[in-house]
Amino acid sequence: MDQLKQLDQFFAENRERHLEEMKEFISIPSISSLSEHKPDMRKAADHLANLLKKAGMENIQVRDTAGHPVVTADWLHAENRPTVLVYGHYDVQPVDPIELWDSEPFKPEIRDNIMYGRGSSDDKGQVFMHVKVLEAMLQTEEKLPVNVKLLVEGEEEIGSVHLDGFIEEHKEELAADLVLISDTALYAPGKPAVCYALRGLTGVQINVSGAKGDLHSGIYGGGVQNPIHALADILASFHDEHGTIKVEGFYDSVRQLTAEERAAFAELDFDEEGIKSEAGVTELFGEEGFTYLEQTWARPTLEVNGVFGGFAGEGIKTVLPAKAGAKITCRLVPDQDPYEIVKLLRQHIEANKPAGVDIEVTEFDKGKPFITPMDHPLIQAAGRSYETQYNEKTAYIRAGGSIPIVSTFDEILGTPVVMMGFGLSTENFHAPNEHFHLENFDKGLRVVSDYFHEIKDYSK
């Protein structure tokens, strides 16, 4: 029997068992952000390790970090074949507000072929899918077509705070030919997508100080600088009327979209009216010369996320506030350096500083942008594997968000990253009633199996 047909039969025959085992995994409340769930984090890591042992993986370890444990395992007997590092996370978001759930978040239920429960889609269900692929191959073929290493962390939902250090410390152990991640989504229901690029992130807080304390506006108004006015001038200096960023040098390192990428985006037939309705706006606004997808996937941004200062209570208080401030973040695209961008922001703020105030700039955490070129053979192979199960051409997309650990894999391991997600953007990843369409779980098992076979002859 053909290997893939044999796997298909295995998945069909073991589906009910797999779903019950998935429920057991999801039922552990592995909420990384809440200290009272620290024992559950260890329980979830141990449970995953046991699943990997039953699957037939080797060198399985639950490894302590300064935070929550990391689970590693491998199977390295495919001589002269590439090595795949599978990454995922077993931690989940808090469940509040609990009253909005239709069923208990940690008592997973299946309704209409949809698994409901916290972590069902992000990311326990997709991690579990990979474990079952490995189990199926090792039980039906008694081998894997490629070498596989697994790295599953428990801190993704709190910023992967200790994983950079773990990867740096164990980079030789984690060396691979590619990193495979299933923590993203399909482009749309029934429309597969390989995400090949992510934006990075950096930001600053601007603190503007004027007088030693709030001043009476009748006595001092008109003769002393108002920090809110000064802050407004600085914020207005960041963009022109079309939304183009006016910080000198901001766009200098931006990698331009290729003609192939722009054509691929155009083929997606993006629904602008739909996005207006989703956002609740009457018109879209952004950098001229680019479509919405290009603006949100492949162009950098500078956004004011919050402004504070002065009196905001009921009624009016006639004062000149002593202080004002704003929080700013920038989404960055390939070849932009977050440290260089912060330097440019500082220079711009200093150059546009109004008279009569002092300004302090503090920095936020930074994440680098990431890209594996769309035409990379490992990216294209992923698209072909999707198409064995979905009767749609695979979309090659970028994501407007940031997953800092992806750029860490790129930077420390020097490894292409392939993001093959099977969730849907509507599955309430961080909200009540998170769910995972089991149609995509079923297809995902077969797509990933095909992918491992598809890339077995890959060489750098």
Side-chain angles (χ1 to χ4, degrees):
M1 184 184 293
D2 175 83
Q3 292 169 328
L4 293 175
K5 287 183 178 178
Q6 191 176 13
L7 288 169
D8 182 76
Q9 180 178 325
F10 181 90
F11 293 136
E13 291 175 351
N14 288 275
R15 187 175 192 268
E16 293 307 313
R17 174 176 66 86
H18 288 168
L19 295 182
E20 289 305 311
E21 290 178 355
M22 190 196 298
K23 286 181 180 180
E24 290 178 16
F25 190 29
I26 294 170
S27 70
I28 304 170
S30 50
I31 304 172
S32 54
S33 62
L34 301 178
S35 58
E36 61 263 35
H37 286 284
K38 188 172 182 178
D40 296 312
M41 297 302 297
R42 169 65 66 169
K43 182 179 179 181
D46 289 340
H47 186 89
L48 177 59
N50 191 48
L51 287 173
L52 291 166
K53 182 178 180 181
K54 290 180 179 178
M57 295 299 288
E58 300 173 349
N59 301 312
I60 302 158
Q61 297 184 67
V62 176
R63 304 164 83 157
D64 290 328
T65 70
H68 299 305
V70 167
V71 180
T72 60
D74 62 40
W75 189 94
L76 304 174
H77 305 294
E79 190 174 352
N80 299 320
R81 299 296 188 187
T83 297
V84 180
L85 175 61
V86 176
Y87 163 82
H89 64 94
Y90 65 86
D91 65 321
V92 301
Q93 285 278 328
V95 297
D96 298 333
I98 188 68
E99 65 273 11
L100 297 183
W101 285 80
D102 295 329
S103 54
E104 293 189 41
F106 296 111
K107 288 186 178 179
E109 294 183 3
I110 297 174
R111 304 192 295 272
D112 299 323
N113 204 32
I114 299 171
M115 177 81 76
Y116 288 85
R118 174 59 88 224
S120 55
S121 184
D122 180 23
D123 182 37
K124 280 182 172 178
Q126 299 199 61
V127 167
F128 180 82
M129 179 185 70
H130 280 277
V131 175
K132 294 297 109 177
V133 167
L134 298 171
E135 176 188 88
M137 289 181 171
L138 289 170
Q139 290 195 16
T140 60
E141 304 175 37
E142 298 184 347
K143 62 180 181 179
L144 302 179
V146 293
N147 299 293
V148 175
K149 300 176 181 179
L150 282 98
L151 172 63
V152 185
E153 66 159 320
E155 297 185 335
E156 194 275 345
E157 300 292 4
I158 54 173
S160 300
V161 265
H162 298 103
L163 195 59
D164 280 12
F166 183 90
I167 293 171
E168 180 66 51
E169 184 179 350
H170 300 92
K171 60 184 177 183
E172 292 183 6
E173 174 190 340
L174 297 171
D177 295 292
L178 74 147
V179 176
L180 179 60
I181 300 174
S182 294
D183 192 17
T184 51
L186 304 174
Y187 180 69
K191 178 70 171 179
V194 179
C195 179
Y196 67 92
L198 300 166
R199 293 196 288 191
L201 184 67
T202 194
V204 299
Q205 179 168 317
I206 306 171
N207 296 310
V208 182
S209 301
K212 62 183 180 181
D214 290 354
L215 300 177
H216 191 296
S217 67
I219 299 174
Y220 296 97
V224 175
Q225 176 67 278
N226 184 322
I228 293 180
H229 296 180
L231 176 64
D233 287 344
I234 294 170
L235 299 182
S237 75
F238 283 131
H239 301 88
D240 68 14
E241 67 272 24
H242 305 295
T244 301
I245 297 165
K246 295 170 62 178
V247 175
E248 186 174 352
F250 190 89
Y251 293 107
D252 286 358
S253 298
V254 170
R255 187 184 303 189
Q256 301 301 315
L257 281 162
T258 66
E260 291 77 14
E261 287 178 299
R262 299 192 86 164
F265 293 178
E267 285 181 6
L268 294 175
D269 194 25
F270 177 72
D271 180 11
E272 288 198 355
E273 292 304 314
I275 202 68
K276 289 178 191 177
S277 176
E278 181 180 313
V281 298
T282 57
E283 60 182 320
L284 301 178
F285 175 82
E287 189 183 359
E288 288 189 317
F290 299 92
T291 66
Y292 180 87
L293 289 182
E294 291 168 353
Q295 290 165 346
T296 57
W297 287 355
R299 298 298 293 173
T301 67
L302 188 159
E303 301 288 354
V304 180
N305 306 120
V307 178
F308 49 92
F311 177 70
E314 185 178 356
I316 192 167
K317 185 178 182 182
T318 54
V319 294
L320 294 179
K323 299 180 184 296
K327 296 179 186 290
I328 292 166
T329 54
C330 301
R331 297 286 179 174
L332 307 179
V333 297
D335 297 338
Q336 285 188 299
D337 182 341
Y339 293 92
E340 176 64 20
I341 293 300
V342 167
K343 177 183 174 182
L344 296 177
L345 291 176
R346 286 183 177 276
Q347 292 173 351
H348 180 89
I349 293 165
E350 183 61 31
N352 289 273
K353 171 186 170 184
V357 292
D358 294 319
I359 294 178
E360 178 190 26
V361 177
T362 58
E363 302 178 15
F364 297 136
D365 291 342
K366 303 170 182 64
K368 291 185 176 181
F370 159 80
I371 187 169
T372 295
M374 189 178 78
D375 60 359
H376 193 287
L378 291 171
I379 295 289
Q380 292 297 311
R384 292 192 297 273
S385 290
Y386 270 122
E387 290 167 10
T388 64
Q389 298 298 316
Y390 293 88
N391 295 319
E392 284 278 347
K393 183 180 178 182
T394 299
Y396 296 92
I397 66 174
R398 296 188 182 202
S402 306
I403 307 177
I405 199 60
V406 173
S407 62
T408 299
F409 286 126
D410 180 44
E411 186 175 359
I412 296 178
L413 300 183
T415 305
V417 179
V418 179
M419 288 176 275
M420 297 178 69
F422 296 90
L424 291 172
S425 61
T426 56
E427 288 179 334
N428 295 357
F429 300 145
H430 291 188
N433 298 312
E434 180 180 349
H435 54 281
F436 188 19
H437 286 74
L438 295 178
E439 174 189 7
N440 292 320
F441 171 73
D442 294 331
K443 289 182 177 180
L445 291 168
R446 293 157 174 85
V447 169
V448 173
S449 298
D450 183 87
Y451 187 62
F452 284 155
H453 282 278
E454 177 80 21
I455 63 172
K456 65 184 179 182
D457 295 318
Y458 170 76
S459 60
K460 294 182 180 178

Short mmCIF file of all heavy atoms in Angstrom, two decimals, residues 270-282 284 292 425-426:
data_model
loop_
_atom_site.label_atom_id
_atom_site.label_comp_id
_atom_site.label_asym_id
_atom_site.label_seq_id
_atom_site.Cartn_x
_atom_site.Cartn_y
_atom_site.Cartn_z
N PHE A 270 -9.09 40.40 -2.56
CA PHE A 270 -9.39 40.88 -1.21
C PHE A 270 -10.67 41.72 -1.18
O PHE A 270 -10.89 42.56 -2.05
CB PHE A 270 -8.21 41.70 -0.69
CG PHE A 270 -8.43 42.29 0.67
CD1 PHE A 270 -8.42 41.49 1.79
CD2 PHE A 270 -8.66 43.66 0.82
CE1 PHE A 270 -8.62 42.03 3.04
CE2 PHE A 270 -8.86 44.20 2.07
CZ PHE A 270 -8.85 43.39 3.18
N ASP A 271 -11.48 41.51 -0.18
CA ASP A 271 -12.77 42.18 -0.04
C ASP A 271 -12.63 43.43 0.84
O ASP A 271 -12.71 43.35 2.06
CB ASP A 271 -13.79 41.21 0.57
CG ASP A 271 -15.17 41.83 0.76
OD1 ASP A 271 -15.40 42.93 0.24
OD2 ASP A 271 -16.00 41.19 1.43
N GLU A 272 -12.45 44.60 0.20
CA GLU A 272 -12.29 45.83 0.96
C GLU A 272 -13.58 46.20 1.70
O GLU A 272 -13.53 46.70 2.83
CB GLU A 272 -11.85 46.98 0.06
CG GLU A 272 -10.41 46.88 -0.40
CD GLU A 272 -9.87 48.20 -0.92
OE1 GLU A 272 -10.66 49.17 -0.99
OE2 GLU A 272 -8.67 48.26 -1.24
N GLU A 273 -14.73 45.97 1.07
CA GLU A 273 -15.98 46.29 1.75
C GLU A 273 -16.15 45.43 2.99
O GLU A 273 -16.66 45.90 4.02
CB GLU A 273 -17.17 46.09 0.79
CG GLU A 273 -17.20 47.09 -0.36
CD GLU A 273 -17.20 48.53 0.13
OE1 GLU A 273 -17.96 48.83 1.07
OE2 GLU A 273 -16.44 49.35 -0.42
N GLY A 274 -15.70 44.18 2.90
CA GLY A 274 -15.79 43.30 4.06
C GLY A 274 -14.94 43.78 5.22
O GLY A 274 -15.36 43.73 6.38
N ILE A 275 -13.73 44.27 4.91
CA ILE A 275 -12.85 44.73 5.98
C ILE A 275 -13.38 46.03 6.59
O ILE A 275 -13.24 46.26 7.80
CB ILE A 275 -11.39 44.89 5.49
CG1 ILE A 275 -10.42 44.81 6.69
CG2 ILE A 275 -11.16 46.18 4.75
CD1 ILE A 275 -10.33 43.47 7.34
N LYS A 276 -14.03 46.87 5.79
CA LYS A 276 -14.66 48.07 6.34
C LYS A 276 -15.74 47.68 7.33
O LYS A 276 -15.85 48.25 8.43
CB LYS A 276 -15.27 48.92 5.22
CG LYS A 276 -14.28 49.62 4.32
CD LYS A 276 -15.04 50.39 3.24
CE LYS A 276 -14.12 50.91 2.15
NZ LYS A 276 -14.88 51.60 1.07
N SER A 277 -16.57 46.72 6.93
CA SER A 277 -17.64 46.27 7.81
C SER A 277 -17.09 45.66 9.08
O SER A 277 -17.57 45.92 10.19
CB SER A 277 -18.51 45.27 7.07
OG SER A 277 -19.51 44.73 7.91
N GLU A 278 -16.04 44.82 8.93
CA GLU A 278 -15.42 44.17 10.09
C GLU A 278 -14.86 45.19 11.07
O GLU A 278 -14.98 45.04 12.29
CB GLU A 278 -14.32 43.24 9.59
CG GLU A 278 -13.60 42.46 10.68
CD GLU A 278 -12.52 41.57 10.11
OE1 GLU A 278 -12.80 40.86 9.12
OE2 GLU A 278 -11.39 41.60 10.63
N ALA A 279 -14.22 46.25 10.54
CA ALA A 279 -13.60 47.26 11.39
C ALA A 279 -14.59 48.32 11.86
O ALA A 279 -14.30 49.07 12.81
CB ALA A 279 -12.45 47.93 10.65
N GLY A 280 -15.75 48.41 11.19
CA GLY A 280 -16.72 49.43 11.55
C GLY A 280 -16.34 50.82 11.10
O GLY A 280 -16.56 51.80 11.83
N VAL A 281 -15.73 50.91 9.92
CA VAL A 281 -15.34 52.21 9.38
C VAL A 281 -15.99 52.41 8.01
O VAL A 281 -16.38 51.45 7.35
CB VAL A 281 -13.80 52.34 9.25
CG1 VAL A 281 -13.14 52.22 10.63
CG2 VAL A 281 -13.23 51.27 8.31
N THR A 282 -16.08 53.68 7.59
CA THR A 282 -16.71 53.98 6.31
C THR A 282 -15.71 54.03 5.17
O THR A 282 -16.10 53.94 4.00
CB THR A 282 -17.45 55.32 6.39
OG1 THR A 282 -16.52 56.35 6.77
CG2 THR A 282 -18.58 55.25 7.42
N LEU A 284 -11.24 53.22 4.14
CA LEU A 284 -9.90 52.80 4.55
C LEU A 284 -8.93 53.95 4.34
O LEU A 284 -9.17 54.87 3.56
CB LEU A 284 -9.47 51.58 3.73
CG LEU A 284 -10.37 50.35 3.85
CD1 LEU A 284 -9.86 49.23 2.95
CD2 LEU A 284 -10.47 49.88 5.30
N TYR A 292 -4.54 47.60 0.38
CA TYR A 292 -4.71 47.33 1.81
C TYR A 292 -3.83 46.17 2.27
O TYR A 292 -3.18 46.26 3.32
CB TYR A 292 -6.18 47.02 2.11
CG TYR A 292 -6.45 46.72 3.57
CD1 TYR A 292 -6.70 47.74 4.47
CD2 TYR A 292 -6.42 45.41 4.04
CE1 TYR A 292 -6.93 47.47 5.81
CE2 TYR A 292 -6.64 45.12 5.37
CZ TYR A 292 -6.90 46.16 6.25
OH TYR A 292 -7.11 45.88 7.59
N SER A 425 -9.18 32.51 11.23
CA SER A 425 -9.11 33.78 11.97
C SER A 425 -10.36 34.02 12.80
O SER A 425 -10.34 34.84 13.72
CB SER A 425 -8.90 34.94 10.99
OG SER A 425 -9.99 35.03 10.08
N THR A 426 -11.43 33.30 12.52
CA THR A 426 -12.69 33.47 13.24
C THR A 426 -12.84 32.53 14.44
O THR A 426 -13.92 32.46 15.05
CB THR A 426 -13.87 33.21 12.28
OG1 THR A 426 -13.72 31.89 11.71
CG2 THR A 426 -13.90 34.24 11.16
#
